[in-house]
Amino acid sequence: MSLPPADTAPAPEKGGDDLATLAKGGRTNTMGFVIRLVARIPFLVIATRLYGAEALGRFASALVLIEIVALICSLGEKRGLAQRLSEGAGENRSAEVNLVYDGMLLALGYSAIAALLLLAFPEPMFPNGTNSPYDLWLVATIPAFAVTEILLAAQAYRFDIATTVRTRAIVEPWTISIAAGLFFYLPGTRDAGLALAFITSIYAGLLTALWPFLRTYGLPRDWRPAPRAMLGMSASAFPLVGADAIERGTRLLDIFILGLFAPPQAVGIYYAAQQIASLPQKLKTSFEPILSPVITKNLRIGNMEAIAAQVRQVGFWIIAVQLGIALVLAIPGEAVMGLWGPDYVAGTATLAFLLAAEVVASMAVVSESVLVYIARKRNLAISVGIIALQAGLTVALIMAARNAGFGDGYQAAGAAGALMLALAASSLVKALLLKHLLGAPVSNWRWPLVYAAGAAVVVGYAFTFLPEWIELVVGIPAVLATYALVIWRRGFDEGDKVLFRKNVVPAPDASSPS
């Protein structure tokens, strides 16, 4: 028995349709990014003002292992599912459904094992101690997180990005914000509020993703899990799992190392800055769900030039928007960090480094979206080298700041600087490898980015001499408007502007930007 399938958009068949599909998915996720930005602010205010930097630091340290383990248990299905469905199901909808359920069953099995191990040996989750005994139950989010990743990937294969936006940009952030406030004031749950709020938000996200999935795919028919085939699926997923875990690990390793070498307050300051800087990261990865089906289709027909064109196009869209966001948040950095309290102003340099890191990482992420299909082992080897480089740089810069007698803010800034350098190296190496494999240029760099950034910096710097409330209320829109005007007129050609048009009927030969 299955639920009636929901309407889904068919896969595009022409290069121009690919561009329109990418643009539509990008618009949806860009709107999701804006919603997520608004939704994240209440949680940051509650976490920093009510719970404080020390409690926030312990909570952040615990999340490092939870998120990495959950990502591993999802078996790289965020990108791998599109290829499995494209190659293994054909036109058989029943086979498609069964393939998705195979992945979910396998993820649940690995999640259960991982959760039990962490329950038995919880010490790695809490290098700075716990806020409450309830913190241990963060392990309950591992299976929910892993299954949600697969559900959203399955919907993305049918070009349903709205479900991802609802889940990740509305339900999860608003749930954690509301729950964190409620648990703080409920008797007996104040110390455990952050952990309980996170658990609540992850399961709310799971339910939000599950309903449209059941409408689209329904329940499995004649489904008999084959243990041998599922073990083979585990083995083939290893390069994808490694790439996903390392990509996410680069954003979490610094918190883990800070937890080992720095006090909880430094971790809390870093985490607050990271939550702001992670917003452009979400924008960057928002193209992945819609990019994967387009790439796998072109790989199937051997159209490497079209893939290179899509990488260039999407890469420029991402870096153009990300650079604007980074300037808007970094120029008034002291005022932005001051919103969370006077203790967090010390994280201004950390915020600037983290925002710069997300800008330089854009090329690595877009390149990797192709490399995971055509050079999995080489991509994984590069990622391992990059995370090793980051670990060495992070320890060196934190220890240098500590030995020099600098405070928590400088130690956090050292970790952020290490991340920026490592991600810059990753972008360079992966872009060169992809260019070699595709036989076509893939760079997302254009000189108008410099012109737009320069104009925005001049305008933003002028506002730093005014009171902070004017800098935030008037200065931020002024910086954004200046940057947007210059990049629109000097940087965006007609191929780029399709991102902002809802009604697009592309020409058949529009597979590459003009």
Side-chain angles (χ1 to χ4, degrees):
M1 179 179 179
S2 64
L3 298 175
D7 294 336
T8 54
E13 295 300 333
K14 298 177 182 179
D17 292 332
D18 288 344
L19 182 61
T21 300
L22 290 170
K24 181 180 179 181
R27 283 194 302 273
T28 303
N29 274 302
T30 300
M31 180 59 67
F33 160 78
V34 175
I35 297 171
R36 191 183 185 100
L37 172 62
V38 174
R40 185 68 62 89
I41 292 174
F43 174 71
L44 284 175
V45 171
I46 292 168
T48 55
R49 295 281 184 172
L50 296 184
Y51 290 90
E54 188 171 342
L56 184 59
R58 292 196 182 102
F59 170 71
S61 295
L63 286 191
V64 171
L65 201 57
I66 292 293
E67 290 196 25
I68 289 293
V69 170
L71 198 61
I72 292 172
C73 291
S74 69
L75 300 174
E77 291 287 71
K78 183 169 67 173
R79 288 179 288 199
L81 184 63
Q83 186 176 35
R84 288 203 302 121
L85 292 175
S86 179
E87 295 176 352
E91 299 298 322
N92 189 333
R93 283 294 179 91
S94 179
E96 275 190 1
V97 174
N98 292 346
L99 279 174
V100 178
Y101 278 93
D102 283 343
M104 283 197 286
L105 180 61
L106 202 57
L108 284 172
Y110 284 123
S111 297
I113 295 171
L116 290 174
L117 285 174
L118 287 177
L119 281 173
F121 306 100
E123 290 80 9
M125 287 193 295
F126 307 111
N128 282 319
T130 61
N131 292 322
S132 160
Y134 289 108
D135 288 5
L136 185 60
W137 292 106
L138 285 168
V139 299
T141 62
I142 294 174
F145 186 97
V147 171
T148 302
E149 285 287 292
I150 296 174
L151 295 175
L152 296 178
Q155 289 301 105
Y157 182 73
R158 300 284 183 86
F159 298 99
D160 171 17
I161 306 302
T163 296
T164 299
V165 172
R166 280 194 299 270
T167 302
R168 299 297 194 206
I170 300 176
V171 173
E172 287 184 357
W174 278 109
T175 300
I176 195 173
S177 298
I178 295 169
L182 289 176
F183 285 125
F184 183 81
Y185 290 106
L186 286 176
T189 62
R190 171 171 293 192
D191 292 339
L194 292 174
L196 293 176
F198 181 75
I199 295 170
T200 304
S201 71
I202 293 299
Y203 276 90
L206 172 63
L207 295 176
T208 304
L210 182 61
W211 176 247
F213 169 80
L214 291 175
R215 292 184 60 217
T216 302
Y217 288 85
L219 299 175
R221 296 178 180 177
D222 302 321
W223 176 50
R224 292 180 178 82
R228 183 175 298 179
M230 294 175 75
L231 286 175
M233 187 173 74
S234 300
S236 63
F238 175 75
L240 275 178
V241 171
D244 282 347
I246 291 173
E247 194 276 331
R248 184 63 185 137
T250 57
R251 306 310 198 282
L252 299 173
L253 178 66
D254 35 19
I255 291 181
F256 180 75
I257 294 175
L258 271 173
L260 295 176
F261 292 94
Q265 291 86 345
V267 183
I269 290 171
Y270 188 95
Y271 182 77
Q274 189 190 59
Q275 292 305 291
I276 300 170
S278 68
L279 294 168
Q281 179 197 352
K282 301 301 181 185
L283 175 69
K284 177 173 68 253
T285 57
S286 67
F287 278 92
E288 283 184 354
I290 202 69
L291 190 57
S292 293
V294 173
I295 289 173
T296 54
K297 186 207 73 172
N298 282 307
L299 283 174
R300 198 165 61 244
I301 62 177
N303 193 348
M304 298 301 182
E305 177 58 40
I307 294 174
Q310 289 151 9
V311 169
R312 291 194 301 270
Q313 187 81 75
V314 173
F316 177 69
W317 286 343
I318 291 172
I319 195 173
V321 178
Q322 277 191 311
L323 180 58
I325 296 167
L327 292 168
V328 162
L329 295 174
I331 295 174
E334 287 191 12
V336 170
M337 291 301 294
L339 291 173
W340 321 129
D343 292 342
Y344 294 89
V345 176
T348 302
T350 302
L351 175 62
F353 281 131
L354 288 175
L355 289 167
E358 296 304 337
V359 174
V360 299
S362 60
M363 192 67 241
V365 172
V366 181
S367 298
E368 188 171 88
S369 65
V370 183
L371 291 175
V372 292
Y373 297 116
I374 63 176
R376 290 186 177 189
K377 293 180 180 178
R378 278 178 283 182
N379 178 70
L380 181 58
I382 293 170
S383 297
V384 170
I386 293 298
I387 203 167
L389 172 65
Q390 182 197 354
L393 288 172
T394 302
V395 173
L397 293 177
I398 290 174
M399 295 302 293
R402 190 168 72 175
N403 292 337
F406 294 138
D408 298 340
Y410 285 94
Q411 295 179 48
L419 175 65
M420 181 186 69
L421 294 173
L423 291 178
S426 178
S427 284
L428 178 62
V429 175
K430 291 188 177 184
L432 290 174
L433 175 60
L434 184 61
K435 177 183 178 181
H436 170 71
L437 293 175
L438 296 180
V442 296
S443 174
N444 62 348
W445 175 257
R446 299 183 193 177
W447 281 106
L449 293 168
V450 176
Y451 313 147
V457 168
V458 171
V459 172
Y461 183 70
F463 277 94
T464 61
F465 294 98
L466 300 175
E468 283 191 355
W469 71 269
I470 297 179
E471 187 180 0
L472 291 172
V473 175
V474 182
I476 285 180
V479 170
L480 182 60
T482 302
Y483 176 84
L485 179 64
V486 176
I487 199 68
W488 180 262
R489 291 190 173 180
R490 299 291 300 273
F492 275 67
D493 58 27
E494 289 304 312
D496 299 314
K497 292 177 182 179
V498 70
L499 177 63
F500 300 94
R501 297 175 185 147
K502 289 188 175 182
N503 299 316
V504 180
V505 182
D509 61 347
S511 60
S512 63
S514 57

